[in-house]
Amino acid sequence: MLFRFLGAIAAACLLFATGANAQGKIQLQWFGQSAFKLTTPSGKVVMIDPWLTGNPMCPPEYKDLDKIGKVDVIMVTHAHGDHLGDSIPLAKKNNAPVWGPAGMDQMLSVMGYLPANLAPRFGKGGTIEPVPGLKITAVHAEHSSEMILKDPVTGKDVSLAAGEPQGFIFQFDNGFTFYHMGDTALFGDMKLYGEKYKPDLLLIPIGGHFVMNPKDAAFATKEWIKPKMVLPMHYGTNPFLKGTPAEFKAALGQTSIKVLDDWKPGETKEF
């Protein structure tokens, strides 16, 4: 009896020490645009497209990167500034690898912005398990991927090719799955991803101009991907991204899919 009691105490101490969620929940904190902080049931933290300091939708308190806390892994869908964002300083601050398009990571390493161990290469169709209990698969996105960096020799800004854009499928051991689409236009294989992965949650861009507009995003959601829940994202941060959640919801019409249009930047939801 005594040994069983001591074992229970040890397990509780381990849970506390690793920062695991007491309820075993998956937590997602949204910062606006496509930026999220994912906390796994075991307490590991994954930043996704962490554009924070320059993001007008990000609450001011999170523009201080120290307020984000410990980061274990960084996932970047493509190299544009509103997605690569603060990945480099976060990676250096936390010794956290930046997983993303192979060409982007290779360029970051070659240009000296990140050491090779913090810029691992990753391609479409590849699946990684960066933390226990979570698999992430890179899938197609119909977009582009360039980045502007300072040339270390000349000190001038240069535009560099940075691989091909991706979306990410996040699959947890408990069966929960979500699909972060990155930036994308409509493409037919969205239907394939819906049928194969059956995401519980879809994070979909709706702003238009550079990405799907609300009507295209609603079509992809309702006809092809068919998630249980959807968050419209990537809107309102510049004058070109005119699509709104209200337009997206109206375009969806009658559906059993739950639209998380009450999710405000800075808020965390549990799944």
Side-chain angles (χ1 to χ4, degrees), residues 171-177 198 200:
Q171 296 175 286
F172 295 84
D173 279 356
N174 65 7
F176 186 81
T177 298
K198 297 178 174 57
D200 298 284

Side-chain angles (χ1 to χ4, degrees), residues 21 25 36 49 89 111 132 152 156 159 202 223 234 242:
N21 298 330
K25 299 286 189 179
F36 294 85
D49 284 356
M111 295 288 287
K156 295 181 179 180
S159 181
L202 177 65
E223 302 299 330
H234 201 280
K242 296 178 180 179

Side-chain angles (χ1 to χ4, degrees), residues 28-230:
L28 265 180
Q29 184 178 16
W30 184 38
F31 300 105
Q33 198 76 340
S34 303
F36 294 85
K37 177 183 179 180
L38 164 66
T39 305
T40 72
S42 64
K44 297 297 184 181
V45 172
V46 181
M47 296 297 293
I48 309 167
D49 284 356
W51 183 43
L52 305 173
T53 56
N55 181 350
M57 291 182 72
C58 180
E61 59 266 31
Y62 299 112
K63 292 177 185 287
D64 178 354
L65 299 184
D66 289 333
K67 298 292 178 63
I68 298 299
K70 180 71 172 72
V71 174
D72 298 290
V73 178
I74 301 165
M75 303 297 303
V76 178
T77 59
H78 63 290
H80 291 161
D82 58 336
H83 296 262
L84 180 63
D86 298 293
S87 296
I88 294 171
L90 281 172
K92 292 178 177 178
K93 183 184 292 288
N94 293 278
N95 196 37
V98 177
W99 289 93
M104 179 192 79
D105 278 41
Q106 184 167 302
M107 189 63 72
L108 288 172
S109 177
V110 168
M111 295 288 287
Y113 279 86
L114 285 175
N117 66 304
L118 296 186
R121 302 179 70 207
F122 184 41
K124 297 175 187 179
T127 298
I128 59 173
E129 191 170 353
V131 297
L134 171 62
K135 293 180 181 178
I136 306 173
T137 300
V139 295
H140 183 67
E142 192 63 46
H143 195 58
S144 63
S145 180
E146 311 84 22
M147 60 183 170
I148 297 175
L149 295 174
K150 285 195 180 297
D151 186 305
V153 176
T154 66
K156 295 181 179 180
D157 286 344
V158 290
S159 181
L160 303 166
E164 294 190 1
Q166 301 173 345
F168 295 131
I169 307 287
F170 293 77
Q171 296 175 286
F172 295 84
D173 279 356
N174 65 7
F176 186 81
T177 298
F178 73 87
Y179 177 11
H180 186 299
M181 301 188 79
D183 279 4
T184 188
L186 279 173
F187 62 93
D189 281 351
M190 290 178 181
K191 187 174 188 293
L192 169 66
Y193 300 149
E195 292 172 348
K196 180 177 181 180
Y197 297 105
K198 297 178 174 57
D200 298 284
L201 171 65
L202 177 65
L203 309 176
I204 190 167
I206 67 163
H209 193 81
F210 297 111
V211 297
M212 289 179 285
N213 61 31
K215 287 184 178 179
D216 283 350
F219 178 87
T221 300
K222 189 174 183 179
E223 302 299 330
W224 285 349
I225 304 172
K226 303 177 182 178
K228 295 175 184 175
M229 299 169 283
V230 59

